[in-house]
Amino acid sequence: MGLHDIYYAEQQIAKSLPSMIELATNRDLSAGLSAHLEETRKQIGRLESVFNKLGKEPKGEKCPAIDGIIEEANATAGEVEDKSVLDAAIVGAAQAVEHYEICRYGTLIAWAEELGHEEVVRFLTTNLNEEKAANTKLNTVALRKGVNRKAVA
Ligand SMILES: [Fe+2]
Ligand SMILES: [Fe+2]
């Protein structure tokens, strides 16, 4: 757990989002995920800036937690045939990813604060805020745009 893990995780997330976007049928859902893919690419750039600030080479380290979350998301998406259920499953899987990121950034920010790395705290907080906003957007899509209602109908 650390900077190398979240760097790896963000890259795996950027790789997995295109297939989720392709599978999503709800327009708000696919648009939201596409916007977050763009953000994710920028987040990777911010993490590279953090490595630079710390005088380290940007390097990922295999993180079994995010691999498991993504693997589960792919397996679930592969099993669901009903389109409306699929959208709800995608929302659920995407929210698991966002919650993972939110907790990891929270820890990294706390550590960076402890060490007095103010610039690092700023970069990481920008990423954290984007993850929180993405999670809120997914809630809106699921609850207000009827994704969950259609799934249980
Ligand atoms: Fe992210
Ligand atoms: Fe995210």
Side-chain angles (χ1 to χ4, degrees), residues 20-21 24-37 87 90-91 94 133-134 136-147 150:
M20 284 213 210
I21 293 164
T25 58
N26 179 287
R27 264 196 219 152
D28 293 298
L29 177 56
S30 56
L33 292 174
S34 297
H36 197 50
L37 174 57
D87 280 343
I90 291 170
V91 169
T136 304
K137 207 189 259 177
L138 286 162
N139 268 334
T140 309
V141 169
L143 302 174
R144 301 227 190 98
K145 305 290 178 181
V147 165
K150 279 186 201 142

Side-chain angles (χ1 to χ4, degrees), residues 6 9-10 13 36 39-40 43-44 97-98 101 105 127 130-131:
I6 193 73
E10 291 289 11
I13 293 163
H36 197 50
E39 282 177 341
T40 300
Q43 290 173 353
I44 292 169
V97 171
E98 297 316 317
E101 294 182 288
Y105 278 119
N127 284 11
E130 287 178 352
E131 314 303 10

Side-chain angles (χ1 to χ4, degrees), residues 2-24:
L3 203 52
H4 299 280
D5 297 60
I6 193 73
Y7 185 60
Y8 170 85
E10 291 289 11
Q11 284 169 326
Q12 297 311 111
I13 293 163
K15 273 189 216 159
S16 77
L17 274 171
S19 59
M20 284 213 210
I21 293 164
E22 207 166 298
L23 286 171

Side-chain angles (χ1 to χ4, degrees), residues 74-106:
N74 291 339
T76 310
E79 281 164 11
V80 180
E81 275 172 31
D82 184 329
K83 294 257 180 247
S84 54
V85 176
L86 185 57
D87 280 343
I90 291 170
V91 169
Q95 285 195 296
V97 171
E98 297 316 317
H99 280 91
Y100 169 83
E101 294 182 288
I102 289 166
C103 88
R104 287 298 151 100
Y105 278 119

